[in-house]
Amino acid sequence: MAKKTKKIAVYPGSFDPPTDGHLNIIERGAKLFDEVVVAIAVNSSKKPLLTIQERLKTLKVLLKKHRNVRLDFFENKLLVHYAREKKATAILRGLRTVQDYEYEFQMALANKQLAPEIETVFMMTDSGLSHLSSSLVKEILSLGGSGKNLVPPLVEKIVHQKFKK
Ligand code: ADP
């Protein structure tokens, strides 16, 4: 019998910081794929709040309970080239709003043209998470608001520390 190939998905994002919305997509994705590679996309033109090391360290703790979730980052390369390197057949993305749809639609079509063998798989946000974004979290936490139902306590602590500096 032919050996079954592992179904690997790459879940790319800035994760600056990781939110409950990201974790929800990862948890659900891990049930659909044999392996999910959570890949921090390093964008040198953006000024992030958390360094790449801080995001890696935080996500490592948050994801350690998932046996089929790996953590990585990539820089200066196309997402589809990175996905090929990881032997992924899917790019996992989350959808919240119509704005997300417009952006994601364009990216998915461009990626399909560049790498027809890789499918973009969209997961609809879960109820209660559609408003949740890293930018919203940064805004709330920068003004001293609570991170409850937005981010795990570990993320809240790190982000609060950053804003205190
Ligand atoms: P990017 O800079 O690539 O948009 P993000 O970290 O903002 O990176 O998001 C990574 C992915 O996670 C995107 O597909 C985004 O739509 C999805 N995502 C973020 N927050 C949520 C949420 N609350 N519900 C569903 N998907 C989400």
Side-chain angles (χ1 to χ4, degrees):
M1 210 164 59
K3 209 172 145 214
K4 196 176 161 268
T5 47
K6 238 183 174 187
K7 292 272 176 243
I8 303 173
V10 166
Y11 178 45
S14 309
F15 307 107
D16 184 39
T19 68
D20 288 354
H22 294 129
L23 295 174
N24 174 267
I25 297 288
I26 296 168
E27 233 156 72
R28 289 159 63 205
K31 290 184 193 150
L32 277 185
F33 294 96
D34 297 318
E35 189 176 313
V36 174
V37 181
V38 175
I40 304 173
V42 183
N43 185 344
S44 48
S45 65
K46 277 193 201 164
K47 172 102 185 67
L49 175 71
L50 302 184
T51 64
I52 181 78
Q53 283 75 19
E54 285 166 331
R55 280 176 275 168
L56 281 170
K57 218 168 114 185
T58 314
L59 278 165
K60 192 174 170 197
V61 176
L62 299 173
L63 300 177
K64 72 167 184 264
K65 62 180 174 204
H66 300 293
R67 294 188 55 218
N68 61 337
V69 176
R70 311 262 169 273
L71 183 58
D72 194 16
F73 69 97
F74 68 101
E75 193 171 11
N76 293 328
K77 67 175 73 154
L78 285 173
L79 170 61
V80 286
H81 291 166
Y82 172 78
R84 269 185 191 148
E85 268 172 37
K86 294 286 142 188
K87 306 213 175 333
T89 50
I91 292 168
L92 181 61
R93 298 288 289 173
L95 278 183
R96 289 161 292 194
T97 56
V98 176
Q99 284 80 7
D100 268 359
Y101 177 81
E102 280 186 15
Y103 172 75
E104 297 290 344
F105 179 66
Q106 198 180 26
M107 290 308 294
L109 290 187
N111 285 334
K112 189 79 186 169
Q113 200 167 14
L114 291 164
E117 80 282 13
I118 300 176
E119 290 293 339
T120 301
V121 175
F122 293 107
M123 236 175 219
M124 199 56 80
T125 186
D126 244 351
S127 59
L129 296 173
S130 66
H131 64 295
L132 190 43
S133 67
S134 296
S135 335
L136 179 82
V137 166
K138 281 184 268 198
E139 197 166 334
I140 293 175
L141 297 186
S142 72
L143 297 170
S146 160
K148 196 164 181 282
N149 296 325
L150 300 174
V151 290
L154 172 69
V155 175
E156 180 171 2
K157 199 172 141 203
I158 292 168
V159 174
H160 266 147
Q161 275 167 2
K162 276 267 158 177
F163 284 122
K164 263 194 224 147
K165 279 183 192 166

